[in-house]
Amino acid sequence: MAEELVLDTAIRDWVLIPLSVVMVLIGVLRYFVSKLMRSPAASTSPDPKLVREGQVVIRARNLRTNSQFIPAKAFKARKVYYTNEENGLLHVPKEDAQKAQAAMFSDPNMAMDMMKKNLSMIVPQTLTFAWVNFFFSGFVAAKIPFPLTQRFRGMLQNGIDLSTVDVSYVSSRSWYFLNLFGLRGLFSLILGEENATDDAQKMMQMGGGFGFNATMFGRGEGQLGYHPA
């Protein structure tokens, strides 16, 4: 039977709360550092064509997600509108896609900006993880207020090698990772929707500008397929 632990309030005051506060402050600081490191060319307003293509991809994604709410005939008509090889919005000729990719990789400013963004993310998180691993390793920092299955043990109890502890307890190292991947909504509230923490998602949304292949939008995961309710 899993053991029940009584958590000291000092762990809450000196481990749980400081970890959360530091992760939020690092995210905000990284946002402003990214803005300072951004080149003047990247600070200008985006290319309207890329923005338009990114919006088309978002609309196609929404169509795929909500396909069960419209008739199959209406879905097929919209699918043809996006993916037909003559004038579909998502269809990009192969030669145009190759030209767009070559232009992207040949732009030194874009490559430098990508490197700066990666550094602004990797360096703070590496230092923060080293800080957490050195000072807070082995702490049981919190408890989830509902039961969980054994599959969650590796995710919630990283750094604690005790199989007798209930799965609902969270180690300090796991709390760091939960904050790392779960604060995006809070950053959107603090910094706005268009913040530095969403760069990866924005690049995916604007991927249409770098050659989306309409043939990938058939049926299945990540594809434009009809899913009736």
Side-chain angles (χ1 to χ4, degrees), residues 121-170:
M121 179 185 67
I122 294 173
V123 173
Q125 299 304 342
T126 302
L127 295 177
T128 307
F129 180 75
W131 172 66
V132 171
N133 203 38
F134 184 79
F135 287 102
F136 303 118
S137 181
F139 280 94
V140 177
K143 182 181 180 182
I144 304 296
F146 47 84
L148 297 170
T149 63
Q150 292 294 325
R151 293 185 177 183
F152 289 90
R153 183 178 297 277
M155 181 178 70
L156 296 180
Q157 296 184 0
N158 192 304
I160 298 178
D161 298 326
L162 292 175
S163 59
T164 57
V165 178
D166 190 79
V167 183
S168 58
Y169 289 97
V170 184

Side-chain angles (χ1 to χ4, degrees), residues 63 70-83 224:
L63 173 63
I70 61 175
K73 184 177 180 180
F75 174 82
K76 291 179 180 178
R78 288 168 171 80
K79 180 179 177 181
V80 171
Y81 174 70
Y82 283 115
T83 61
L224 276 181

Side-chain angles (χ1 to χ4, degrees), residues 29-229:
L29 180 64
R30 186 167 66 87
Y31 166 69
F32 289 107
V33 170
S34 299
K35 290 187 66 174
L36 291 175
M37 295 174 63
R38 197 170 299 169
S39 64
S43 301
T44 59
S45 54
D47 186 354
K49 182 181 178 181
L50 293 181
V51 174
R52 184 167 58 251
E53 291 175 347
Q55 294 298 321
V56 170
V57 173
I58 295 175
R59 288 168 56 191
R61 184 181 303 155
N62 292 336
L63 173 63
R64 181 196 65 202
T65 304
N66 302 295
S67 61
Q68 68 270 23
F69 300 113
I70 61 175
K73 184 177 180 180
F75 174 82
K76 291 179 180 178
R78 288 168 171 80
K79 180 179 177 181
V80 171
Y81 174 70
Y82 283 115
T83 61
N84 75 84
E85 296 185 359
E86 294 182 0
N87 55 359
L89 295 181
L90 290 176
H91 179 71
V92 180
K94 188 175 181 180
E95 57 273 12
D96 292 347
Q98 292 175 349
K99 290 179 182 178
Q101 291 176 352
M104 179 184 66
F105 289 114
S106 62
D107 187 356
N109 290 329
M110 182 175 294
M112 184 62 67
D113 287 334
M114 291 178 63
M115 185 179 67
K116 289 178 180 179
K117 289 176 183 179
N118 290 334
L119 287 177
S120 66
M121 179 185 67
I122 294 173
V123 173
Q125 299 304 342
T126 302
L127 295 177
T128 307
F129 180 75
W131 172 66
V132 171
N133 203 38
F134 184 79
F135 287 102
F136 303 118
S137 181
F139 280 94
V140 177
K143 182 181 180 182
I144 304 296
F146 47 84
L148 297 170
T149 63
Q150 292 294 325
R151 293 185 177 183
F152 289 90
R153 183 178 297 277
M155 181 178 70
L156 296 180
Q157 296 184 0
N158 192 304
I160 298 178
D161 298 326
L162 292 175
S163 59
T164 57
V165 178
D166 190 79
V167 183
S168 58
Y169 289 97
V170 184
S171 68
S172 56
R173 191 185 297 177
S174 295
W175 183 252
Y176 160 79
F177 286 112
L178 291 176
N179 280 272
L180 179 63
F181 297 109
L183 288 176
R184 178 176 170 271
L186 180 60
F187 288 138
S188 297
L189 291 175
I190 297 175
L191 305 172
E193 290 292 335
E194 298 296 326
N195 62 73
T197 60
D198 287 338
D199 283 336
Q201 185 182 21
K202 287 190 292 185
M203 290 177 65
M204 290 178 61
Q205 292 174 355
M206 295 177 64
F210 305 125
F212 261 78
N213 187 357
T215 60
M216 296 174 62
F217 290 83
R219 286 186 62 97
E221 182 65 26
Q223 300 172 345
L224 276 181
Y226 182 69
H227 307 285

